[in-house]
Amino acid sequence: MTNQAFILLCMVVFGVVGTCHGGSLRKGYYKDTCPDAEEIIKTATEKHVANDPTLPARFLRMHFHDCFVRGCDGSVLLNSTTNNTAEKDAIPNLTLAGFDVIDDLKAEVEKKCPNVVSCADVLALAARDAVSFKFQTPLWEVLTGRRDGRISRISEALANIPSPLSNFTTLVRNFTSKGLNVHDLVVLSGGHTIGVGHCNTFSSRLYNFTGRSDQDPSLNPTYASFLKTQCGNLSDNTTFVPMDPASALKFDNNYYVTVKQNKGLFQSDAALLANKGSRKIVDELLDSKKFFTEFAQAMKRMGAIGLVTGNEGEIRKKCSVVN
């Protein structure tokens, strides 16, 4: 059975893909083999986040990019080799950061329980714990039991990671291929409330939207003028700006306020207003309580994409290399 057919079967039988995808994951997977694993990761993550407030956004993005290529199998953490260029070196992943911290978290767990906890689970837990740090309570539940993949290809990262230049149709197609829906697309886009965007990922909206040296008419003109003061030309790939200017380091639902004001940084942000159904979801998520509830559920579904479990894959000793 193809992956797409499996996803469709899951939707028919369960109504929610995560039920099928997450069948092999469970709460407290390591309670017998490494009972302190989640606490070790949480403590170490919080220590790093206290020193570097940019880590929540970095880990959230890294987890997202991992799950969208071969599922949540830690393949984004693998280094390239002489014979293979890995996902890590694909253009969308060149601005990922925090790999050294993931290595540190893994090393902490290895001290207590060697060869037990997967790098994929370390990343999934670190993303949750980093974002939750300021709240001092877990913002979503992370089921565990993932195993690490042995394959990481640059071509698959390029083909599967949603582009900030994508329109609504392309985004929906991409999310649907992972067993996620329009609701998940809009909710998970809310992760853009923290972190930054590099100029080259949105400067075409400022200087060459249709190839005629024009500006994207859907972009708030005042905001566009400000962005031009930060990003002077199309080729700038080093300068970056906050994705959500009002709360770049604060995880909240302000992203949707920004999108409604036509100040979504990327074309993929603006795309959420291009469809009646997605616009309605954006409006619903202006309710903070609703956003946090929905984000927790969407992260759980995303964390169950394309699982490597059971006897498949491996438990890497070091996250950047296969055993």
Side-chain angles (χ1 to χ4, degrees):
M1 183 184 292
T2 65
N3 185 50
Q4 194 65 29
F6 177 69
I7 287 168
L8 289 171
L9 177 63
C10 289
M11 294 176 85
V12 170
V13 176
F14 293 105
V16 182
V17 176
T19 309
C20 240
H21 273 171
S24 300
L25 296 181
R26 62 178 186 267
K27 190 174 180 177
Y29 179 85
Y30 298 108
K31 72 178 186 297
D32 296 325
T33 53
C34 188
D36 297 330
E38 295 193 23
E39 190 57 38
I40 291 169
I41 293 165
K42 178 174 180 285
T43 301
T45 299
E46 291 183 343
K47 186 178 84 174
H48 282 286
V49 173
N51 293 321
D52 182 358
T54 67
L55 281 177
R58 290 175 170 181
F59 285 169
L60 189 60
R61 184 167 177 245
M62 191 187 293
H63 181 38
F64 181 88
H65 283 210
D66 183 38
C67 292
F68 265 68
V69 186
R70 293 189 159 264
C72 313
D73 67 343
S75 55
V76 74
L77 304 172
L78 288 171
N79 287 339
S80 294
T81 62
T82 309
N83 302 316
N84 178 67
T85 307
E87 294 169 32
K88 194 184 276 190
D89 290 317
I91 289 173
N93 289 335
L94 293 178
T95 50
L96 291 181
F99 292 108
D100 56 329
V101 181
I102 296 296
D103 287 341
D104 181 66
L105 303 181
K106 171 66 169 169
E108 288 296 313
V109 181
E110 286 294 298
K111 287 179 195 172
K112 189 74 178 273
C113 315
N115 308 320
V116 173
V117 182
S118 69
C119 294
D121 276 344
V122 169
L123 176 54
L125 289 162
R128 188 270 311 274
D129 294 339
V131 175
S132 303
F133 174 60
K134 286 188 177 178
F135 297 85
Q136 289 300 295
T137 188
L139 292 185
W140 64 89
E141 183 178 54
V142 176
L143 303 181
T144 44
R146 298 167 189 80
R147 286 173 68 85
D148 297 320
R150 297 189 182 99
I151 297 169
S152 182
R153 298 186 182 120
I154 185 173
S155 58
E156 294 182 355
L158 294 169
N160 286 280
I161 295 171
S163 166
L165 305 174
S166 292
N167 61 25
F168 184 75
T169 304
T170 304
L171 289 168
V172 171
R173 189 186 310 124
N174 195 307
F175 273 66
T176 302
S177 74
K178 308 301 172 191
L180 301 174
N181 58 28
V182 172
H183 194 267
D184 295 315
L185 162 62
V186 180
V187 173
L188 291 172
S189 293
H192 286 178
T193 188
I194 51 175
V196 299
H198 286 74
C199 290
N200 60 323
T201 57
F202 61 84
S203 55
S204 61
R205 300 186 73 198
L206 305 175
Y207 298 111
N208 199 29
F209 187 60
T210 63
R212 297 177 183 174
S213 302
D214 55 341
Q215 185 173 298
D216 182 350
S218 73
L219 184 60
N220 181 294
T222 306
Y223 186 46
S225 296
F226 163 73
L227 291 175
K228 285 179 178 177
T229 68
Q230 306 299 302
C231 306
N233 55 65
L234 283 167
S235 59
D236 184 347
N237 62 359
T238 54
T239 307
F240 52 83
V241 300
M243 291 189 285
D244 182 354
S247 64
L249 293 174
K250 184 183 178 188
F251 189 81
D252 56 21
N253 68 329
N254 192 69
Y255 166 80
Y256 301 101
V257 176
T258 301
V259 168
K260 287 281 288 183
Q261 294 171 340
N262 294 313
K263 294 179 182 176
L265 187 62
F266 305 126
Q267 206 166 324
S268 58
D269 296 322
L272 303 184
L273 298 179
N275 171 272
K276 185 180 178 182
S278 59
R279 277 199 306 275
K280 184 170 182 286
I281 299 166
V282 168
D283 286 337
E284 290 170 358
L285 296 172
L286 293 170
D287 178 331
S288 181
K289 187 177 178 183
K290 172 91 168 168
F291 166 67
F292 280 99
T293 300
E294 297 296 334
F295 192 82
Q297 293 172 358
M299 285 300 293
K300 202 167 171 180
R301 284 191 289 274
M302 188 191 82
I305 294 173
L307 295 175
V308 179
T309 57
N311 295 320
E312 298 176 318
E314 63 184 15
I315 302 298
R316 275 181 231 144
K317 293 181 176 66
K318 191 176 177 187
C319 293
S320 57
V321 291
V322 294
N323 292 344

Short mmCIF file of all heavy atoms in Angstrom, two decimals, residues 141-198:
data_model
loop_
_atom_site.label_atom_id
_atom_site.label_comp_id
_atom_site.label_asym_id
_atom_site.label_seq_id
_atom_site.Cartn_x
_atom_site.Cartn_y
_atom_site.Cartn_z
N GLU A 141 1.45 17.81 24.25
CA GLU A 141 1.91 16.49 24.65
C GLU A 141 2.79 15.90 23.54
O GLU A 141 2.45 16.00 22.36
CB GLU A 141 0.71 15.56 24.90
CG GLU A 141 1.09 14.18 25.39
CD GLU A 141 -0.13 13.32 25.66
OE1 GLU A 141 -0.99 13.18 24.76
OE2 GLU A 141 -0.24 12.79 26.78
N VAL A 142 3.92 15.33 23.92
CA VAL A 142 4.79 14.66 22.95
C VAL A 142 4.77 13.17 23.25
O VAL A 142 5.26 12.72 24.29
CB VAL A 142 6.24 15.18 23.02
CG1 VAL A 142 7.14 14.38 22.07
CG2 VAL A 142 6.30 16.67 22.66
N LEU A 143 4.17 12.41 22.35
CA LEU A 143 4.23 10.96 22.46
C LEU A 143 5.60 10.53 21.97
O LEU A 143 6.18 11.16 21.08
CB LEU A 143 3.12 10.31 21.63
CG LEU A 143 1.69 10.75 21.97
CD1 LEU A 143 0.69 10.01 21.10
CD2 LEU A 143 1.38 10.52 23.44
N THR A 144 6.14 9.46 22.52
CA THR A 144 7.49 9.04 22.16
C THR A 144 7.52 7.59 21.67
O THR A 144 6.53 6.87 21.77
CB THR A 144 8.44 9.22 23.36
OG1 THR A 144 7.80 8.74 24.56
CG2 THR A 144 8.81 10.67 23.56
N GLY A 145 8.68 7.20 21.15
CA GLY A 145 8.83 5.87 20.58
C GLY A 145 9.31 5.90 19.14
O GLY A 145 9.35 4.87 18.47
N ARG A 146 9.68 7.11 18.67
CA ARG A 146 10.24 7.22 17.31
C ARG A 146 11.60 6.55 17.29
O ARG A 146 12.32 6.55 18.27
CB ARG A 146 10.42 8.70 16.92
CG ARG A 146 9.15 9.51 16.86
CD ARG A 146 9.44 11.00 16.78
NE ARG A 146 8.19 11.76 16.93
CZ ARG A 146 7.62 12.01 18.09
NH1 ARG A 146 8.20 11.60 19.21
NH2 ARG A 146 6.49 12.69 18.15
N ARG A 147 11.97 6.04 16.12
CA ARG A 147 13.33 5.56 15.90
C ARG A 147 13.99 6.44 14.85
O ARG A 147 13.30 7.17 14.13
CB ARG A 147 13.33 4.08 15.51
CG ARG A 147 13.03 3.18 16.71
CD ARG A 147 12.85 1.74 16.33
NE ARG A 147 14.08 1.10 15.86
CZ ARG A 147 15.01 0.56 16.66
NH1 ARG A 147 14.89 0.64 17.97
NH2 ARG A 147 16.07 -0.03 16.14
N ASP A 148 15.29 6.41 14.78
CA ASP A 148 16.03 7.27 13.87
C ASP A 148 16.18 6.65 12.49
O ASP A 148 16.51 5.46 12.37
CB ASP A 148 17.43 7.55 14.45
CG ASP A 148 17.36 8.32 15.75
OD1 ASP A 148 16.51 9.22 15.87
OD2 ASP A 148 18.16 8.02 16.67
N GLY A 149 15.95 7.46 11.46
CA GLY A 149 16.14 7.01 10.09
C GLY A 149 17.63 6.96 9.75
O GLY A 149 18.45 7.63 10.38
N ARG A 150 17.95 6.20 8.73
CA ARG A 150 19.34 6.07 8.30
C ARG A 150 19.63 6.82 7.00
O ARG A 150 20.75 6.82 6.52
CB ARG A 150 19.69 4.58 8.09
CG ARG A 150 19.62 3.73 9.34
CD ARG A 150 20.20 2.34 9.07
NE ARG A 150 20.10 1.47 10.23
CZ ARG A 150 19.16 0.55 10.41
NH1 ARG A 150 18.21 0.40 9.50
NH2 ARG A 150 19.15 -0.21 11.49
N ILE A 151 18.57 7.41 6.41
CA ILE A 151 18.71 8.06 5.11
C ILE A 151 18.39 9.55 5.22
O ILE A 151 17.42 9.93 5.89
CB ILE A 151 17.77 7.40 4.07
CG1 ILE A 151 18.16 5.93 3.87
CG2 ILE A 151 17.82 8.14 2.74
CD1 ILE A 151 17.14 5.14 3.08
N SER A 152 19.21 10.38 4.58
CA SER A 152 18.98 11.82 4.56
C SER A 152 19.49 12.36 3.23
O SER A 152 20.69 12.32 2.96
CB SER A 152 19.72 12.49 5.73
OG SER A 152 19.48 13.88 5.75
N ARG A 153 18.57 12.86 2.39
CA ARG A 153 18.94 13.29 1.04
C ARG A 153 18.54 14.74 0.80
O ARG A 153 17.40 15.14 1.04
CB ARG A 153 18.26 12.41 0.00
CG ARG A 153 18.66 10.93 0.07
CD ARG A 153 18.05 10.17 -1.10
NE ARG A 153 18.37 8.76 -1.03
CZ ARG A 153 17.48 7.77 -0.94
NH1 ARG A 153 16.17 8.07 -0.89
NH2 ARG A 153 17.86 6.51 -0.90
N ILE A 154 19.45 15.51 0.25
CA ILE A 154 19.19 16.91 -0.06
C ILE A 154 17.99 17.06 -1.00
O ILE A 154 17.16 17.96 -0.83
CB ILE A 154 20.45 17.58 -0.67
CG1 ILE A 154 20.22 19.09 -0.87
CG2 ILE A 154 20.88 16.92 -1.97
CD1 ILE A 154 21.47 19.85 -1.30
N SER A 155 17.87 16.16 -1.96
CA SER A 155 16.79 16.25 -2.95
C SER A 155 15.41 16.13 -2.30
O SER A 155 14.46 16.80 -2.71
CB SER A 155 16.94 15.16 -4.02
OG SER A 155 16.94 13.87 -3.42
N GLU A 156 15.31 15.31 -1.25
CA GLU A 156 14.03 15.11 -0.58
C GLU A 156 13.65 16.32 0.27
O GLU A 156 12.47 16.65 0.41
CB GLU A 156 14.06 13.83 0.26
CG GLU A 156 14.19 12.58 -0.62
CD GLU A 156 14.18 11.29 0.18
OE1 GLU A 156 14.17 11.34 1.43
OE2 GLU A 156 14.17 10.21 -0.45
N ALA A 157 14.65 17.00 0.81
CA ALA A 157 14.37 18.22 1.56
C ALA A 157 13.83 19.29 0.61
O ALA A 157 12.84 19.97 0.90
CB ALA A 157 15.64 18.71 2.26
N LEU A 158 14.47 19.42 -0.54
CA LEU A 158 14.03 20.42 -1.52
C LEU A 158 12.62 20.13 -2.02
O LEU A 158 11.84 21.05 -2.30
CB LEU A 158 15.01 20.45 -2.70
CG LEU A 158 16.42 20.96 -2.38
CD1 LEU A 158 17.36 20.69 -3.55
CD2 LEU A 158 16.40 22.45 -2.05
N ALA A 159 12.28 18.85 -2.13
CA ALA A 159 10.98 18.47 -2.67
C ALA A 159 9.85 18.54 -1.65
O ALA A 159 8.68 18.68 -2.03
CB ALA A 159 11.07 17.05 -3.25
N ASN A 160 10.17 18.45 -0.36
CA ASN A 160 9.11 18.28 0.65
C ASN A 160 8.90 19.43 1.62
O ASN A 160 7.81 19.57 2.16
CB ASN A 160 9.39 17.00 1.46
CG ASN A 160 9.09 15.74 0.68
OD1 ASN A 160 7.95 15.32 0.55
ND2 ASN A 160 10.13 15.13 0.12
N ILE A 161 9.92 20.23 1.87
CA ILE A 161 9.76 21.32 2.84
C ILE A 161 8.97 22.46 2.21
O ILE A 161 9.33 22.95 1.14
CB ILE A 161 11.14 21.83 3.33
CG1 ILE A 161 11.86 20.73 4.10
CG2 ILE A 161 10.97 23.07 4.22
CD1 ILE A 161 13.30 21.05 4.44
N PRO A 162 7.86 22.88 2.83
CA PRO A 162 7.06 23.97 2.25
C PRO A 162 7.89 25.24 2.07
O PRO A 162 8.67 25.60 2.95
CB PRO A 162 5.96 24.18 3.30
CG PRO A 162 5.88 22.88 4.04
CD PRO A 162 7.28 22.35 4.07
N SER A 163 7.72 25.87 0.93
CA SER A 163 8.50 27.06 0.63
C SER A 163 7.78 28.32 1.13
O SER A 163 6.55 28.41 1.04
CB SER A 163 8.71 27.18 -0.88
OG SER A 163 9.17 28.46 -1.22
N PRO A 164 8.52 29.31 1.62
CA PRO A 164 7.90 30.59 2.00
C PRO A 164 7.32 31.34 0.80
O PRO A 164 6.56 32.28 0.95
CB PRO A 164 9.04 31.38 2.64
CG PRO A 164 10.30 30.75 2.12
CD PRO A 164 9.98 29.31 1.89
N LEU A 165 7.68 30.88 -0.41
CA LEU A 165 7.17 31.49 -1.64
C LEU A 165 5.90 30.81 -2.17
O LEU A 165 5.36 31.21 -3.18
CB LEU A 165 8.25 31.45 -2.73
CG LEU A 165 9.60 32.07 -2.38
CD1 LEU A 165 10.61 31.83 -3.50
CD2 LEU A 165 9.45 33.56 -2.11
N SER A 166 5.45 29.78 -1.45
CA SER A 166 4.31 28.98 -1.94
C SER A 166 2.99 29.74 -1.88
O SER A 166 2.74 30.53 -0.97
CB SER A 166 4.16 27.70 -1.11
OG SER A 166 5.24 26.84 -1.32
N ASN A 167 2.13 29.44 -2.88
CA ASN A 167 0.76 29.97 -2.83
C ASN A 167 -0.13 28.97 -2.07
O ASN A 167 0.34 27.90 -1.65
CB ASN A 167 0.22 30.25 -4.24
CG ASN A 167 0.16 28.99 -5.10
OD1 ASN A 167 0.07 27.86 -4.61
ND2 ASN A 167 0.21 29.18 -6.41
N PHE A 168 -1.39 29.30 -1.90
CA PHE A 168 -2.29 28.49 -1.08
C PHE A 168 -2.44 27.07 -1.63
O PHE A 168 -2.36 26.09 -0.88
CB PHE A 168 -3.66 29.17 -0.97
CG PHE A 168 -4.62 28.45 -0.08
CD1 PHE A 168 -4.48 28.51 1.30
CD2 PHE A 168 -5.65 27.68 -0.61
CE1 PHE A 168 -5.37 27.83 2.14
CE2 PHE A 168 -6.54 27.01 0.22
CZ PHE A 168 -6.40 27.08 1.59
N THR A 169 -2.63 26.94 -2.93
CA THR A 169 -2.83 25.63 -3.55
C THR A 169 -1.63 24.71 -3.30
O THR A 169 -1.79 23.53 -2.95
CB THR A 169 -3.06 25.78 -5.07
OG1 THR A 169 -4.17 26.66 -5.28
CG2 THR A 169 -3.36 24.43 -5.71
N THR A 170 -0.44 25.25 -3.47
CA THR A 170 0.78 24.47 -3.27
C THR A 170 0.93 24.06 -1.82
O THR A 170 1.30 22.91 -1.51
CB THR A 170 2.02 25.29 -3.70
OG1 THR A 170 1.86 25.69 -5.06
CG2 THR A 170 3.30 24.47 -3.58
N LEU A 171 0.63 24.96 -0.90
CA LEU A 171 0.71 24.65 0.53
C LEU A 171 -0.24 23.53 0.92
O LEU A 171 0.13 22.60 1.63
CB LEU A 171 0.40 25.89 1.37
CG LEU A 171 1.46 27.00 1.37
CD1 LEU A 171 0.89 28.28 1.99
CD2 LEU A 171 2.71 26.56 2.12
N VAL A 172 -1.48 23.61 0.42
CA VAL A 172 -2.48 22.58 0.75
C VAL A 172 -2.03 21.23 0.21
O VAL A 172 -2.13 20.21 0.89
CB VAL A 172 -3.86 22.97 0.19
CG1 VAL A 172 -4.85 21.81 0.33
CG2 VAL A 172 -4.39 24.20 0.90
N ARG A 173 -1.50 21.22 -1.01
CA ARG A 173 -1.02 19.97 -1.61
C ARG A 173 0.10 19.37 -0.76
O ARG A 173 0.14 18.18 -0.49
CB ARG A 173 -0.54 20.23 -3.03
CG ARG A 173 -0.22 18.94 -3.81
CD ARG A 173 0.40 19.23 -5.18
NE ARG A 173 -0.35 20.19 -5.94
CZ ARG A 173 0.15 21.33 -6.43
NH1 ARG A 173 1.41 21.65 -6.22
NH2 ARG A 173 -0.60 22.14 -7.13
N ASN A 174 0.99 20.23 -0.31
CA ASN A 174 2.13 19.79 0.49
C ASN A 174 1.67 19.20 1.82
O ASN A 174 2.12 18.11 2.23
CB ASN A 174 3.05 21.00 0.74
CG ASN A 174 4.42 20.59 1.25
OD1 ASN A 174 4.53 19.88 2.23
ND2 ASN A 174 5.46 21.06 0.61
N PHE A 175 0.78 19.89 2.50
CA PHE A 175 0.29 19.41 3.80
C PHE A 175 -0.55 18.15 3.65
O PHE A 175 -0.45 17.22 4.46
CB PHE A 175 -0.50 20.51 4.51
CG PHE A 175 0.36 21.44 5.34
CD1 PHE A 175 1.29 22.28 4.72
CD2 PHE A 175 0.26 21.47 6.72
CE1 PHE A 175 2.10 23.13 5.47
CE2 PHE A 175 1.07 22.31 7.48
CZ PHE A 175 1.99 23.15 6.85
N THR A 176 -1.36 18.11 2.59
CA THR A 176 -2.20 16.93 2.36
C THR A 176 -1.34 15.68 2.14
O THR A 176 -1.68 14.59 2.61
CB THR A 176 -3.12 17.15 1.14
OG1 THR A 176 -3.93 18.30 1.36
CG2 THR A 176 -4.02 15.94 0.91
N SER A 177 -0.21 15.85 1.48
CA SER A 177 0.67 14.71 1.21
C SER A 177 1.26 14.14 2.51
O SER A 177 1.74 13.01 2.53
CB SER A 177 1.80 15.12 0.26
OG SER A 177 2.76 15.93 0.92
N LYS A 178 1.19 14.92 3.60
CA LYS A 178 1.68 14.45 4.90
C LYS A 178 0.54 14.01 5.81
O LYS A 178 0.74 13.73 6.99
CB LYS A 178 2.48 15.56 5.61
CG LYS A 178 3.58 16.19 4.77
CD LYS A 178 4.61 15.18 4.31
CE LYS A 178 5.58 15.79 3.32
NZ LYS A 178 6.41 14.78 2.66
N GLY A 179 -0.66 13.98 5.27
CA GLY A 179 -1.80 13.57 6.08
C GLY A 179 -2.35 14.70 6.94
O GLY A 179 -3.10 14.48 7.87
N LEU A 180 -1.97 15.94 6.62
CA LEU A 180 -2.45 17.10 7.35
C LEU A 180 -3.44 17.86 6.47
O LEU A 180 -3.45 17.70 5.25
CB LEU A 180 -1.28 18.01 7.75
CG LEU A 180 -0.19 17.35 8.62
CD1 LEU A 180 0.98 18.30 8.82
CD2 LEU A 180 -0.75 16.92 9.96
N ASN A 181 -4.28 18.70 7.09
CA ASN A 181 -5.30 19.40 6.32
C ASN A 181 -5.14 20.92 6.40
O ASN A 181 -4.17 21.43 6.98
CB ASN A 181 -6.70 18.97 6.79
CG ASN A 181 -6.90 19.22 8.28
OD1 ASN A 181 -6.30 20.12 8.87
ND2 ASN A 181 -7.76 18.43 8.91
N VAL A 182 -6.10 21.65 5.84
CA VAL A 182 -6.03 23.11 5.80
C VAL A 182 -6.00 23.68 7.22
O VAL A 182 -5.28 24.65 7.50
CB VAL A 182 -7.23 23.69 5.01
CG1 VAL A 182 -7.27 25.22 5.15
CG2 VAL A 182 -7.14 23.30 3.55
N HIS A 183 -6.76 23.08 8.10
CA HIS A 183 -6.78 23.54 9.49
C HIS A 183 -5.38 23.43 10.10
O HIS A 183 -4.90 24.37 10.76
CB HIS A 183 -7.79 22.73 10.29
CG HIS A 183 -8.12 23.33 11.62
ND1 HIS A 183 -7.45 22.99 12.77
CD2 HIS A 183 -9.03 24.28 11.99
CE1 HIS A 183 -7.93 23.68 13.79
NE2 HIS A 183 -8.89 24.48 13.34
N ASP A 184 -4.72 22.30 9.88
CA ASP A 184 -3.35 22.12 10.37
C ASP A 184 -2.40 23.15 9.76
O ASP A 184 -1.53 23.69 10.46
CB ASP A 184 -2.84 20.71 10.03
CG ASP A 184 -3.62 19.62 10.75
OD1 ASP A 184 -3.87 19.76 11.95
OD2 ASP A 184 -3.98 18.62 10.09
N LEU A 185 -2.58 23.42 8.48
CA LEU A 185 -1.75 24.41 7.79
C LEU A 185 -1.83 25.77 8.47
O LEU A 185 -0.81 26.40 8.77
CB LEU A 185 -2.19 24.53 6.32
CG LEU A 185 -1.76 25.77 5.54
CD1 LEU A 185 -0.24 25.85 5.44
CD2 LEU A 185 -2.40 25.78 4.14
N VAL A 186 -3.05 26.21 8.73
CA VAL A 186 -3.24 27.55 9.32
C VAL A 186 -2.73 27.57 10.76
O VAL A 186 -2.06 28.52 11.19
CB VAL A 186 -4.72 27.98 9.26
CG1 VAL A 186 -4.90 29.36 9.87
CG2 VAL A 186 -5.21 27.99 7.81
N VAL A 187 -3.02 26.52 11.51
CA VAL A 187 -2.61 26.47 12.91
C VAL A 187 -1.09 26.39 13.05
O VAL A 187 -0.48 27.13 13.83
CB VAL A 187 -3.28 25.28 13.63
CG1 VAL A 187 -2.73 25.12 15.05
CG2 VAL A 187 -4.79 25.46 13.69
N LEU A 188 -0.46 25.52 12.28
CA LEU A 188 0.99 25.35 12.39
C LEU A 188 1.74 26.58 11.86
O LEU A 188 2.85 26.88 12.31
CB LEU A 188 1.44 24.10 11.64
CG LEU A 188 1.01 22.78 12.30
CD1 LEU A 188 1.32 21.59 11.40
CD2 LEU A 188 1.68 22.59 13.66
N SER A 189 1.13 27.33 10.95
CA SER A 189 1.73 28.58 10.48
C SER A 189 1.88 29.55 11.64
O SER A 189 2.74 30.45 11.61
CB SER A 189 0.88 29.22 9.38
OG SER A 189 0.89 28.41 8.22
N GLY A 190 1.07 29.38 12.68
CA GLY A 190 1.16 30.23 13.87
C GLY A 190 2.50 30.14 14.56
O GLY A 190 2.85 31.01 15.37
N GLY A 191 3.28 29.11 14.23
CA GLY A 191 4.64 29.00 14.77
C GLY A 191 5.51 30.16 14.32
O GLY A 191 6.56 30.43 14.92
N HIS A 192 5.07 30.86 13.28
CA HIS A 192 5.82 32.03 12.79
C HIS A 192 5.72 33.22 13.74
O HIS A 192 6.25 34.29 13.44
CB HIS A 192 5.33 32.44 11.40
CG HIS A 192 5.78 31.51 10.31
ND1 HIS A 192 5.41 31.66 8.99
CD2 HIS A 192 6.56 30.40 10.34
CE1 HIS A 192 5.96 30.69 8.27
NE2 HIS A 192 6.66 29.92 9.07
N THR A 193 5.05 33.04 14.86
CA THR A 193 4.99 34.11 15.84
C THR A 193 6.34 34.31 16.53
O THR A 193 6.59 35.34 17.14
CB THR A 193 3.89 33.85 16.91
OG1 THR A 193 3.75 35.01 17.73
CG2 THR A 193 4.25 32.67 17.79
N ILE A 194 7.23 33.31 16.44
CA ILE A 194 8.58 33.46 16.97
C ILE A 194 9.59 33.16 15.85
O ILE A 194 9.30 32.40 14.94
CB ILE A 194 8.85 32.54 18.18
CG1 ILE A 194 8.47 31.08 17.88
CG2 ILE A 194 8.12 33.04 19.42
CD1 ILE A 194 8.81 30.09 18.98
N GLY A 195 10.75 33.80 15.96
CA GLY A 195 11.78 33.54 14.97
C GLY A 195 11.92 34.64 13.94
O GLY A 195 11.22 35.66 13.98
N VAL A 196 12.82 34.41 13.00
CA VAL A 196 13.14 35.42 12.00
C VAL A 196 13.05 34.86 10.58
O VAL A 196 13.03 33.65 10.39
CB VAL A 196 14.58 35.96 12.22
CG1 VAL A 196 14.69 36.62 13.59
CG2 VAL A 196 15.62 34.85 12.07
N GLY A 197 12.97 35.77 9.62
CA GLY A 197 13.00 35.40 8.21
C GLY A 197 14.13 36.14 7.53
O GLY A 197 14.33 37.33 7.77
N HIS A 198 14.89 35.44 6.71
CA HIS A 198 15.99 36.08 5.98
C HIS A 198 15.44 36.80 4.75
O HIS A 198 14.48 36.34 4.12
CB HIS A 198 17.04 35.04 5.58
CG HIS A 198 17.87 34.57 6.73
ND1 HIS A 198 17.37 33.72 7.70
CD2 HIS A 198 19.15 34.86 7.09
CE1 HIS A 198 18.32 33.50 8.60
NE2 HIS A 198 19.41 34.18 8.27
#
